[in-house]
């Protein structure tokens, strides 16, 4: 047996083992379909259908059952997949496409970064022209989440927005969340500032709000004045002891969530889903925009999108019927409530917000949202800005930090 044959056998074994290791709650609950139905394979991510969330599992299975009842010629077979582990959705898609293309799903859900990777690797099909015009219109601003070079590859299903969360202990009236306000109120702010690659999300957003731009090709462009504005803000925070290098240890929200809950931080950056979970037990928490140079509203939008994997016409037709059904506003709204996310359709999003959440703020965040900065679009500049930010927190003068970035980019 050749080395190549052994490699293929090994990959097949790995893929099969990964499937066996996956939690199967969603699959076990899938109702039986009439004999002769087309078997539609749907992979569900465990982060969006958490095994421990009984309400979410019950509801999504009920929605799938309702789809099958109205489409008796289609039998939906679900498989719950890990997202981050070995054997996660993207890793399994790549391995399966190489050694067992017949075992690929017809439909799955992907996040923005994985959507870009899947499209680049030729693992998913275009959805351009495949969604109803009414659905496309209702997605509005969220539609860009599923677009790559103006072509639609993902149907945005559940989204989240990034914003500040704070305790309003002094009945603060702050209509303008600019940098000066942070110092006026002496707010210590925590966020995920540490990054092993690229630029952290908050400095990225503040840099764009200060005047940073992208090239025609979508690459981040150096704007010295915008960068200096952001770094001077962090130097002021540092000198006022409202921030220190501890934030560089935070790579994700979970790293500082306990500290915030313990009331050791005045304000912190969270996603809208984090906020909805927090106010369930701490209803006095308030949401606010991220501080920016002049108080410009800006946010980051991410989320989960239905994607079409099937490449055979008959299976594509069935898959598209399934996607369109699951994307119905009432299905999105109901499911979003079980996992504290936001439905992607604008009106559904606004009507689904719990009492006490500022709907006007969420409208502004949605309308002024950016997509996550990919490594290719950030390039070497993103890492250089992150390094400059770290240097300033460690005491370097902002002007010197900017000069270092300019020298690196021009060298």
């Amino acid at each position: 047996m050749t080395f190549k044959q052994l490699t293929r056998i090994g990959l097949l074994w790995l893929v099969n083992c990964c499937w066996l290791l996956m939690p199967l709650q969603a699959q076990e609950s899938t109702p039986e379909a009439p004999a002769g139905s087309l078997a539609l394979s749907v992979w569900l991510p465990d982060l969006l259908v958490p095994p421990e969330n009984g309400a979410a599992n019950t509801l999504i299975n009920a929605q799938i059952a309702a789809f099958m009842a109205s489409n008796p010629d289609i039998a939906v077979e679900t498989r719950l997949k890990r997202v981050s582990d070995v054997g996660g959705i993207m890793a399994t898609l790549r391995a399966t496409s190489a050694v067992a293309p017949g075992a690929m799903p017809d439909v799955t859900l992907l996040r923005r970064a994985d959507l870009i990777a899947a499209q680049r690797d030729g693992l998913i099909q275009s959805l351009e022209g495949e969604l109803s015009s009414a659905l496309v219109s209702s997605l509005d601003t969220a539609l860009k989440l599923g677009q790559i070079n103006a072509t639609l590859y993902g149907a945005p299903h559940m989204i989240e927005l990034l914003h500040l969360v704070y305790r309003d202990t002094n009945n603060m009236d702050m209509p303008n969340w600019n940098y000066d306000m942070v110092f006026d109120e002496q707010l210590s702010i925590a966020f995920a500032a540490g990054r092993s690659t690229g630029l952290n999300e908050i400095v990225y957003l503040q840099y764009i709000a200060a005047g940073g731009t992208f090239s025609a090709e979508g690459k981040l462009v150096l704007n010295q004045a915008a960068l200096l504005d952001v770094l001077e803000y962090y130097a002021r925070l540092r000198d006022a002891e409202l921030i220190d290098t501890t934030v560089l240890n935070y790579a994700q929200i979970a790293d500082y969530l306990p500290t915030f809950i313990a009331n050791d931080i005045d304000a912190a950056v969270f996603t809208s889903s984090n906020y909805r979970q927090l106010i369930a037990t701490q209803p006095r928490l308030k949401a606010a925009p991220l501080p920016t140079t002049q108080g410009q509203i800006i946010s980051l939008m991410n989320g989960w999108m239905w994607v079409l994997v099937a490449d055979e016409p008959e299976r594509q037709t069935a898959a598209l019927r399934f996607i369109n059904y699951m994307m119905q506003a009432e299905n999105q709204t109901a499911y979003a409530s079980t996992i504290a996310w936001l439905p992607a359709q604008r009106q559904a999003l606004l009507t689904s917000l719990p009492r006490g959440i500022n709907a006007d703020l969420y409208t502004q965040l949605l309308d002024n949202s950016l997509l996550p900065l990919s490594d290719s679009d950030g390039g070497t500049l993103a890492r250089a800005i992150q390094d400059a930010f770290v240097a300033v927190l460690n005491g370097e003068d902002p002007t010197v930090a900017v000069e270092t970035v300019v020298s690196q980019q021009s060298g």
Side-chain angles (χ1 to χ4, degrees):
M1 186 175 292
T2 67
F3 176 77
K4 184 175 182 181
Q5 289 172 322
L6 286 170
T7 301
R8 288 174 63 85
I9 291 172
L11 283 171
L12 279 169
W13 177 85
L14 176 61
V15 170
N16 288 330
C17 286
C18 289
W19 284 343
L20 291 172
L21 289 171
M22 294 300 107
L24 296 176
Q25 289 90 333
Q27 185 181 17
E28 291 170 354
S29 302
T30 304
E32 293 185 5
S37 300
L38 184 151
L40 189 73
S41 175
V42 178
W43 289 2
L44 302 172
D46 63 344
L47 292 185
L48 197 67
V49 188
E52 70 280 3
N53 189 329
N57 279 269
T58 298
L59 181 57
I60 199 165
N61 281 309
Q63 291 180 350
I64 291 172
F67 169 78
M68 291 172 60
S70 59
N71 294 270
D73 57 327
I74 302 174
V76 178
E77 300 176 352
T78 61
R79 191 178 291 272
L80 199 62
K81 288 288 184 179
R82 294 191 182 100
V83 174
S84 302
D85 267 350
V86 173
I89 288 182
M90 275 305 299
T92 311
L93 280 176
R94 288 189 176 110
T96 306
S97 67
V99 300
M104 292 281 280
D106 298 300
V107 178
T108 190
L109 285 150
L110 295 178
R111 294 174 295 187
R112 175 68 185 181
D114 288 340
L115 177 81
I116 294 173
Q119 188 274 334
R120 182 189 61 231
D121 294 347
L123 300 175
I124 58 177
Q125 318 302 321
S126 169
L127 289 178
E128 197 68 34
E130 302 294 354
L131 304 181
S132 70
S133 57
L135 175 55
V136 170
S137 177
S138 66
L139 286 168
D140 196 37
T141 304
L143 192 68
K144 65 186 178 183
L145 191 63
Q147 293 176 324
I148 300 175
N149 297 326
T151 298
L152 188 67
Y153 284 93
H157 188 47
M158 297 289 142
I159 65 171
E160 58 184 2
L161 297 163
L162 206 62
H163 59 75
L164 200 67
V165 177
Y166 70 101
R167 292 179 178 82
D168 188 9
T169 55
N170 299 317
N171 294 316
M172 295 182 288
D173 181 18
M174 294 178 288
N176 184 11
W177 282 80
N178 58 22
Y179 292 158
D180 289 337
M181 175 280 305
V182 175
F183 298 101
D184 292 341
E185 299 295 335
Q186 289 291 289
L187 287 178
S188 59
I189 298 176
F191 59 95
R195 284 293 299 267
S196 58
T197 62
L199 175 61
N200 75 74
E201 294 172 338
I202 308 309
V203 173
Y204 159 55
L205 292 173
Q206 291 170 328
Y207 173 69
I208 297 299
T213 57
F214 295 90
S215 68
E217 294 76 29
K219 307 299 183 184
L220 193 65
V221 173
L222 176 59
N223 181 317
Q224 296 181 47
L227 180 55
L228 181 61
D229 181 83
V230 173
L231 295 183
E232 286 181 337
Y233 164 63
Y234 283 103
R236 290 175 64 196
L237 281 178
R238 177 200 68 202
D239 294 344
E241 298 184 348
L242 295 176
I243 196 172
D244 59 37
T245 55
T246 301
V247 298
L248 298 176
N249 298 325
Y250 303 147
Q252 55 188 352
I253 288 172
D255 293 336
Y256 55 84
L257 177 60
T259 306
F260 181 79
I261 292 175
N263 204 16
D264 293 333
I265 303 173
D266 297 327
V269 177
F270 290 106
T271 65
S272 50
S273 53
N274 296 139
Y275 179 53
R276 290 185 66 168
Q277 293 166 344
L278 284 167
I279 60 174
T281 56
Q282 302 184 56
R284 296 190 64 181
L285 292 177
K286 289 192 175 182
L290 301 175
T292 54
T293 178
Q294 299 297 325
Q296 308 96 317
I297 304 292
I298 196 166
S299 183
L300 193 79
M301 176 170 59
N302 208 339
W304 292 94
M305 293 155 282
W306 291 107
V307 298
L308 177 64
V309 182
D311 56 5
E312 299 174 2
E314 183 182 14
R315 307 194 73 80
Q316 286 186 346
T317 298
L320 289 167
R321 282 160 63 183
F322 176 78
I323 291 173
N324 275 283
Y325 180 83
M326 298 301 285
M327 287 287 292
Q328 290 180 9
E330 58 269 27
N331 287 333
Q332 279 195 339
T333 302
Y335 191 72
S337 68
T338 68
I339 59 171
W341 279 60
L342 301 172
Q345 297 177 61
R346 177 183 289 269
Q347 193 54 44
L349 185 158
L350 294 176
T351 57
S352 71
L353 292 175
R355 181 175 299 179
I357 290 185
N358 186 341
D360 289 339
L361 171 63
Y362 272 70
T363 297
Q364 294 177 51
L365 294 173
L366 187 64
D367 289 339
N368 294 280
S369 60
L370 299 181
L371 300 180
L373 182 66
S374 68
D375 289 340
S376 60
D377 289 341
T380 60
L381 176 59
R383 185 64 229 181
I385 292 177
Q386 175 71 11
D387 290 343
F389 162 73
V390 171
V392 168
L393 287 192
N394 279 295
E396 187 167 280
D397 182 271
T399 303
V400 174
V402 171
E403 289 173 352
T404 300
V405 174
V406 173
S407 175
Q408 290 174 346
Q409 295 301 300
S410 59

